[in-house]
Amino acid sequence: MRKYLSVTVLFIVALCGTAAGQRSWEGIHRTETSVLKENFDLPPVDFASHVIWGWQGDMDLETIRHDLDSMVAKGFRSVIFEAGYGLPYEYLSDEWFEAIRVGVEEAKKRGMKVWLIDEGKYPSGFAGGKFTSERPDLRMQALVVYDTIPVAAGQELRSHGVGAEALSAVAVSADGISNRMVPIADGTIDFRAGLQDWNILLVKDDFRTA
């Protein structure tokens, strides 16, 4: 992860250096109010309306130029790059950075301000799927119902095996009005239905990645 982070930081620093006269985001936030008021009708590119540019599919030079020309024609002078789906290269790969370099250079030719979204699509923190593919043990986990045991009125369960994967069990009445926890001991449960029909829901943990 350090490698990816360091490469990303260096790349962003390099981008800042390629645009002469453009300030960092810290400098933009320190702009005097009087300057903003004076240029309100036609704000500098730092404050211009932007469009989020989602990259999808094969972003070749022709597509990049077409998209940027379309944005400029519609009055946009600032663009935010967002990694999309179906790209022919992996997020943060050498090919990815080369494509971004081309996009930045083409945007600069058109006098546009460039920003980068610091993630490869939703959810944030997944590095465009790198964590999921390289460390599957760190994927999101969820509690899921994996089995249901029906218990009819008057029926009783004694030392009914539920397996080692069961983390919890809850009994829900057939009418959905009542519920109660069912203790698990040594991989088994005991339950007395009484006058109602019940469904005992067994819960375990499972990997769930968006």
Side-chain angles (χ1 to χ4, degrees), residues 1 39 51 71-72 83 86 100 108 133 144 157 170 173 188 209:
M1 182 59 189
N39 297 280
V51 59
M71 296 175 205
V72 172
I100 291 296
K108 183 181 178 182
S133 61
V144 298
L157 301 181
V170 58
S173 61
T188 66
T209 299

Side-chain angles (χ1 to χ4, degrees), residues 124-139:
S124 297
F126 277 44
K130 282 187 174 293
F131 282 113
T132 300
S133 61
E134 298 179 13
R135 288 294 303 275
D137 56 305
L138 296 180
R139 290 178 296 162

Side-chain angles (χ1 to χ4, degrees), residues 6 26 41 43 46 53 58 129:
S6 62
E26 293 97 334
D41 291 338
D46 290 339
W53 188 17
D58 186 11

Side-chain angles (χ1 to χ4, degrees), residues 170-181 191 196-199:
V170 58
V172 180
S173 61
D175 57 15
I177 297 176
S178 303
N179 65 79
R180 64 186 195 224
M181 296 300 299
F191 184 78
Q196 298 187 78
D197 294 333
W198 297 82
N199 288 305

Side-chain angles (χ1 to χ4, degrees), residues 138-164:
L138 296 180
R139 290 178 296 162
M140 291 190 300
Q141 289 183 271
L143 296 177
V144 298
V145 175
Y146 72 96
D147 197 8
T148 301
I149 304 172
V151 185
Q155 185 179 357
E156 182 177 1
L157 301 181
R158 285 187 175 274
S159 299
H160 184 90
V162 295

Side-chain angles (χ1 to χ4, degrees), residues 8-9 13 16 62 73 84 92 113 172-173 178 194 196 198 205:
T8 303
V9 171
V13 171
C16 294
E62 180 181 357
L92 298 184
K113 178 83 175 184
V172 180
S173 61
S178 303
Q196 298 187 78
W198 297 82
D205 63 335

Side-chain angles (χ1 to χ4, degrees), residues 75-93:
F76 292 104
R77 292 182 291 141
S78 182
V79 60
I80 301 177
F81 287 39
E82 179 187 37
Y85 301 110
L87 296 171
Y89 32 73
E90 290 187 8
Y91 179 64
L92 298 184
S93 66

